[in-house]
Amino acid sequence: MINYRLKRGLKHIVIWVFIMFAIFPIIWALSAALNPSNTLMGQRLIPENASLKNFVALFNNKQHPFPIWIWNSVKISLIVSLITVILTSLAAYPFSRFRFKGRRQGLFIILLVQIFPQMLAMVAIYLLFLNIQNYIPILSINTHMAVIVIYLGGAVGINTWLLKGYFDTISRSLEEAAQIDGATRFQAYYKIILPLAKPILAALFVIQFINTYNEYVLASIMLNSSDKFTLAVGLQMFISENYGQRWGVFSAAALLGAIPITVLFLVVQDYLVTGLTGGAVKE
Amino acid sequence: MLSSWQGRSKHPWTILFLCLFDALTLWGAILLLNDRNYLYLFFLLITAISINYIYLSEKCYPLRYILPGTFFMFLLVVYPIFYNIYISFTNYGTGHILSKEQVIQKLEERYYIPSKPEEYYFTVFKSPDGSKFILALEDDKGQLYLGENGEIILRSNSPEYFIKRNHEGTINSINGYEKLTKKELFKYLSILQGIEFIKNQDSVIRMKDTSTYVLCRKQYQYLPQNDKIIDNKNNKEYRPVDGFFTSSEGEKLLPGYKTYIGWQNYFKLITDRSIATPFLQVFTWTFQFAFLSVLGTFLIGVLLAILLNDNKLLFKRLYRTLLILPYAIPGFISILIWRGLFNEEFGVINNILKALSISPFSWLTDATCTKLALVLVNLWLGYPYMMLIILGSLQSINKTLYEAAAIDGASGWQKFSHITLPLLLVSVGPLLISSFAYNFNNYSVIYLFNKGRPPMIGADTPAGKTDILITYTYRLAFETGQGADFGLASTVTILIFIITAIITQVNFGFTGALEDVKGND
């Protein structure tokens, strides 16, 4: 019996060791954000004279407009995830419902393409836009439009497979009934399949939102003026060689930028795991 | 029949969309035609024709759904891959940005003053509103020329100019334009310096100083039939070699141009020692980093999953939430925070070490320490994912297996090593491989933590001791200190593509993802 209790206790201790590891940077960032001295030097876990000075400083920094960076990130992520949901649900529908020539090849190509992370081709993408901007000024380097278009391209592949798999599980009888009643193909898709697929569409939206918000490389290549930065690019620029002088304000910005995503993530965590493992864990 | 779609009428919206699209295409085609960019024009027209066909033909009905999404995929994922392959066979980069035609055009705009210069003394006459000028130019033989609007004509051939002289014979005004005084001349100097007259096809007359104009001759001439450039100044010949017009003595004309150079970039990576040595180090560390990350996160994941996989555990839900926090926080934010904590002088981690009277580590300037820190940070970032998928996988293991083992008197460790681990590896194996591929290209961790530093000393290309292949590519292309080398960067990218493809091939063997495709008949 004692042995059993000892085991129980040990279990909790090991778990707590890892929890300490998990929250270690978060706690210190919180402490730095509340510490008015704004420097790494002599940081204590519980800051003296704790205040919200760093948070106030965030909103009064003309050279580094944090609110604009956060807004840019949110705006780009919202647009990209909304359009991604529309485009991929459209693309997945015929793969699930129609039998046409080239269907298997199409699925295969999409599977093949999504093997290569889009950012691998960053050099080519950058040079492509360097050319495109001579003809289509709204897609110039340093525009949000260009970044959005890039993200859309990267989002289609894997998500089409995810949605197709889900559509396959929806029974066809409702659509058949609707078509007998005279609904067009598109109406069947729009009024029957989409409402039934709401849960996966919502999950896809959130996954895409988080992924877009977190993207750094491509945004850093494409955006080069402070008012256009996303939070990832802006924060990097702000802190990279200035840990000594900007630690507090940075930590405040980091917490503000992280909280919405973290909460969103924790709310939908069960969906995310299903989406991320992509059915590879077979039950 | 359900999968049929025949007999559907075309929606008015489709027609409206097509009209708009075609109008835009036409506009774009005219722009491209003006620019003589026939390659892009070709692509544009092919795209436009296929889109029209797809949305008008009954046979292509399914494609109407698929096309909008895959259009972006082809433009921004597939096309860049092929473009990347093309660039890897060129010398595209700093010093080789322009095309050959553009460089020829630039060179042909260069002029030189011959060793026996033809000089002209000039006087300037200004229109009453001050916006136009006529120049009177006199050569050393006393011939008078008049210059206006970039053209120059002999006075005797231009009776339309009315010249007024004073009693000493100097010109006072031309066509009512008044002569500029010396003072006014300086006022208009910057405008006058921009005025030049075309004498004939290969010479122009330009301002030399405030009293003389001089005849300048075109220095370079391109002969398309021989594909060479002639220097009119000294009759040297320059032929195109590896992106430069080069003389027989090896003298190069700048700037160079972008051109096909075959496998040179690939050979450079293997044979050029100053490039190959750092590349090999980067290559090795990329594998080490990915391997250590996967192994570490898997071990932590298994441990935590087994601890949490216990329905009687108190606070199970709370523990789980706290433990996946690192996964929930945006990666770029936590990496930047970790960098602050690892700061060598004032960082929290070295402070703690000092308090424990352990000598502090050079986390950001010593290669080994930086690698250690990077793996630690990446374990922090990656273990929650492993924990979650292993937790899912553990729940699917049949409980009767353990019961049977218990009856046979197996110890806890035996149950783990003979039942849990083998079954886990089967179900989680594919994810380990894709995790390996992910970390292989884990740009954010490496770049945001320490930008691949500390730098390698004496390397010919910019490389850091903790760079992985993808951050090395970024350096080659975008870190402009030593000039961008898009060609070499693309070559490294191609290698990453190949390695990624091999890893995935292995993974497909595991998951039978290809069988999934085949199952879709």
Side-chain angles (χ1 to χ4, degrees):
Chain A
M1 209 57 207
I2 292 173
N3 192 11
Y4 175 77
R5 279 211 185 142
L6 201 70
K7 259 187 167 170
R8 272 272 120 134
L10 202 66
K11 233 179 189 183
H12 284 274
I13 290 170
V14 175
I15 291 176
W16 271 107
V17 168
F18 279 96
I19 289 179
M20 298 308 287
F21 178 50
I23 61 174
F24 178 76
I26 307 167
I27 302 251
W28 283 101
L30 191 68
S31 142
L34 295 173
N35 188 341
S37 80
N38 194 17
T39 163
L40 269 172
M41 229 184 309
Q43 202 191 338
R44 283 163 196 283
L45 192 55
I46 297 165
E48 287 170 44
N49 316 318
S51 79
L52 293 177
K53 196 182 125 202
N54 289 326
F55 289 90
V56 177
L58 272 187
F59 291 89
N60 298 321
N61 194 332
K62 290 245 158 53
Q63 208 190 338
H64 304 283
F66 292 96
I68 292 182
W69 293 344
I70 294 184
W71 166 241
N72 287 345
S73 278
V74 170
K75 183 185 82 180
I76 292 175
S77 309
L78 272 180
I79 296 175
V80 168
S81 23
L82 187 70
I83 302 181
T84 300
V85 169
I86 296 173
L87 292 184
T88 44
S89 65
L90 267 175
Y93 182 66
F95 280 124
S96 167
R97 287 300 190 261
F98 302 155
R99 292 294 174 268
F100 52 94
K101 234 191 189 165
R103 174 170 170 275
R104 258 177 62 188
Q105 288 84 342
L107 280 170
F108 181 67
I109 289 174
I110 293 178
L111 183 74
L112 208 63
V113 167
Q114 54 99 2
I115 288 166
F116 303 105
Q118 189 188 20
M119 57 95 171
L120 287 187
M122 59 188 170
V123 178
I125 290 175
Y126 175 78
L127 296 176
L128 174 66
F129 277 85
L130 215 55
N131 276 324
I132 288 183
Q133 65 179 0
N134 297 329
Y135 302 102
I136 314 175
I138 54 165
L139 288 179
S140 299
I141 305 272
N142 200 27
T143 59
H144 288 161
M145 190 70 111
V147 177
I148 288 170
V149 167
I150 293 174
Y151 289 160
L152 283 180
V156 176
I158 191 159
N159 292 329
T160 302
W161 265 90
L162 183 76
L163 280 190
K164 178 207 163 268
Y166 193 87
F167 287 171
D168 282 345
T169 65
I170 299 175
S171 155
R172 298 177 172 205
S173 53
L174 275 172
E175 283 163 277
E176 278 171 25
Q179 282 192 296
I180 289 166
D181 287 349
T184 64
R185 252 293 162 198
F186 189 73
Q187 281 170 335
Y189 156 79
Y190 184 70
K191 295 200 167 146
I192 294 171
I193 291 288
L194 284 194
L196 284 174
K198 249 184 206 159
I200 192 84
L201 296 180
L204 175 60
F205 183 89
V206 174
I207 296 174
Q208 195 54 49
F209 186 91
I210 294 176
N211 285 345
T212 313
Y213 191 93
N214 290 353
E215 206 284 330
Y216 170 76
V217 198
L218 293 168
S220 80
I221 291 171
M222 295 298 294
L223 303 174
N224 51 37
S225 70
S226 180
D227 60 319
K228 293 280 168 56
F229 284 166
T230 59
L231 184 66
V233 181
L235 263 191
Q236 202 295 117
M237 287 280 174
F238 176 72
I239 193 68
S240 76
E241 307 299 330
N242 299 294
Y243 278 92
Q245 313 93 44
R246 294 175 173 174
W247 179 235
V249 178
F250 161 79
S251 298
L255 289 178
L256 276 191
I259 286 169
I261 294 294
T262 310
V263 170
L264 197 61
F265 186 97
L266 293 176
V267 169
V268 296
Q269 51 173 297
D270 295 327
Y271 267 126
L272 285 173
V273 178
T274 335
L276 288 164
T277 51
V281 181
K282 293 198 172 104
E283 307 232 346
Chain B
M1 165 108 178
L2 187 89
S3 60
S4 81
W5 55 83
Q6 267 79 19
R8 302 272 162 247
S9 58
K10 276 169 266 313
H11 201 279
W13 283 112
T14 314
I15 304 296
L16 184 70
F17 159 76
L18 273 185
C19 290
L20 269 174
F21 175 79
D22 288 342
L24 272 174
T25 307
L26 198 66
W27 176 63
I30 292 169
L31 272 183
L32 287 172
L33 200 63
N34 259 338
D35 253 27
R36 293 190 199 161
N37 197 331
Y38 299 119
L39 185 72
Y40 280 27
L41 184 66
F42 174 75
F43 281 128
L44 182 72
L45 290 181
I46 292 285
T47 317
I49 291 169
S50 355
I51 286 178
N52 275 290
Y53 180 73
I54 286 167
Y55 283 93
L56 292 174
S57 152
E58 280 298 330
K59 256 165 71 186
C60 297
Y61 187 78
L63 275 177
R64 293 184 205 173
Y65 291 79
I66 298 168
L67 194 74
T70 41
F71 171 76
F72 285 103
M73 187 181 85
F74 275 99
L75 186 68
L76 291 150
V77 183
V78 180
Y79 175 72
I81 292 176
F82 286 100
Y83 191 39
N84 218 317
I85 297 175
Y86 163 74
I87 300 169
S88 75
F89 289 101
T90 69
N91 58 358
Y92 202 174
T94 305
H96 300 275
I97 295 287
L98 301 174
S99 69
K100 192 173 167 188
E101 291 73 33
Q102 286 169 315
V103 167
I104 290 170
Q105 201 190 340
K106 283 232 160 193
L107 289 173
E108 287 193 329
E109 281 164 10
R110 289 189 193 167
Y111 291 89
Y112 73 103
I113 300 171
S115 50
K116 279 184 210 155
E118 286 175 40
E119 289 182 339
Y120 303 83
Y121 294 99
F122 74 93
T123 33
V124 185
F125 300 85
K126 179 186 70 154
S127 68
D129 63 353
S131 66
K132 291 180 186 162
F133 301 93
I134 297 177
L135 271 74
L137 302 142
E138 197 180 305
D139 68 11
D140 48 3
K141 293 178 206 101
Q143 286 273 34
L144 184 64
Y145 296 85
L146 296 173
E148 192 183 10
N149 298 332
E151 281 175 41
I152 186 162
I153 347 174
L154 201 61
R155 163 61 183 149
S156 49
N157 294 337
S158 48
E160 70 271 24
Y161 286 98
F162 177 68
I163 294 184
K164 236 178 162 175
R165 294 175 192 264
N166 66 6
H167 58 277
E168 284 170 357
T170 46
I171 303 171
N172 268 348
S173 75
I174 301 178
N175 283 5
Y177 286 31
E178 288 298 322
K179 184 177 169 181
L180 284 190
T181 62
K182 265 275 184 250
K183 218 170 143 191
E184 283 175 301
L185 188 71
F186 283 106
K187 188 178 152 198
Y188 290 106
L189 200 60
S190 64
I191 301 174
L192 292 168
Q193 275 169 338
I195 295 178
E196 57 178 38
F197 304 103
I198 296 167
K199 180 84 185 292
N200 54 41
Q201 210 193 332
D202 47 36
S203 47
V204 297
I205 296 171
R206 283 179 177 168
M207 184 187 272
K208 186 185 168 204
D209 52 47
T210 52
S211 62
T212 43
Y213 262 62
V214 67
L215 183 92
C216 304
R217 296 176 63 87
K218 202 179 247 183
Q219 185 167 6
Y220 299 107
Q221 197 180 0
Y222 179 67
L223 302 176
Q225 64 274 26
N226 308 330
D227 192 20
K228 66 181 180 189
I229 277 186
I230 297 204
D231 186 342
N232 291 324
K233 201 169 164 183
N234 48 23
N235 286 325
K236 266 191 195 166
E237 286 184 1
Y238 294 86
R239 291 177 186 279
V241 181
D242 286 348
F244 287 107
F245 282 104
T246 315
S247 71
S248 50
E249 292 99 61
E251 200 182 327
K252 288 169 181 169
L253 290 183
L254 296 177
Y257 55 88
K258 173 174 68 171
T259 186
Y260 173 79
I261 55 164
W263 293 87
Q264 280 190 34
N265 284 324
Y266 292 84
F267 287 137
K268 251 201 276 185
L269 272 185
I270 302 166
T271 54
D272 187 336
R273 284 205 96 174
S274 56
I275 294 174
T277 319
F279 172 72
L280 201 67
Q281 286 187 37
V282 169
F283 190 81
T284 319
W285 164 237
T286 310
F287 275 94
Q288 289 170 338
F289 175 71
F291 180 75
L292 289 175
S293 300
V294 175
L295 185 70
T297 51
F298 178 72
L299 291 179
I300 300 176
V302 170
L303 176 66
L304 288 174
I306 287 176
L307 291 178
L308 286 181
N309 191 30
D310 174 356
N311 291 327
K312 280 175 273 171
L313 187 74
L314 224 56
F315 310 124
K316 187 181 164 184
R317 181 80 196 171
L318 172 76
Y319 284 170
R320 203 181 101 129
T321 306
L322 284 173
L323 285 169
I324 63 170
L325 267 181
Y327 194 33
I329 297 170
F332 69 91
I333 288 179
S334 36
I335 298 163
L336 290 172
I337 292 176
W338 271 112
R339 184 179 152 81
L341 301 180
F342 273 111
N343 187 294
E344 289 176 10
E345 288 165 82
F346 316 114
V348 167
I349 292 174
N350 271 351
N351 281 348
I352 293 175
L353 289 180
K354 275 182 223 159
L356 297 171
S357 33
I358 301 171
S359 60
F361 283 58
S362 318
W363 296 114
L364 303 174
T365 48
D366 177 81
T368 318
C369 291
T370 313
K371 286 177 178 177
L372 187 66
L374 277 168
V375 172
L376 212 67
V377 171
N378 209 25
L379 289 187
W380 185 88
L381 286 164
Y383 83 82
Y385 171 71
M386 287 291 177
M387 182 186 86
L388 286 174
I389 56 171
I390 293 168
L391 211 50
S393 166
L394 280 183
Q395 275 154 9
S396 66
I397 293 178
N398 195 339
K399 299 287 176 299
T400 54
L401 286 173
Y402 294 108
E403 285 160 20
I407 292 169
D408 287 349
S411 69
W413 172 250
Q414 279 174 324
K415 280 191 221 163
F416 173 77
S417 61
H418 285 85
I419 302 172
T420 317
L421 196 61
L423 286 174
L424 262 187
L425 281 176
V426 170
S427 59
V428 185
L431 294 171
L432 292 183
I433 296 170
S434 46
S435 168
F436 184 87
Y438 173 82
N439 282 307
F440 196 85
N441 295 315
N442 201 334
Y443 180 94
S444 326
V445 174
I446 303 289
Y447 188 81
L448 293 179
F449 187 74
N450 204 17
K451 295 189 174 165
R453 289 174 299 194
M456 281 184 205
I457 311 292
D460 225 26
T461 51
K465 286 182 179 162
T466 61
D467 262 327
I468 56 173
L469 287 171
I470 185 73
T471 58
Y472 182 57
T473 309
Y474 176 90
R475 260 179 209 278
L476 288 175
F478 300 108
E479 205 161 77
T480 41
Q482 295 189 30
D485 192 341
F486 297 128
L488 194 61
S490 299
T491 310
V492 178
T493 308
I494 300 299
L495 288 178
I496 306 177
F497 275 135
I498 294 170
I499 296 166
T500 311
I502 293 172
I503 297 172
T504 315
Q505 179 63 39
V506 174
N507 208 359
F508 277 174
F510 260 105
T511 56
L514 293 176
E515 304 303 314
D516 279 1
V517 178
K518 285 180 194 142
N520 269 294
D521 281 318

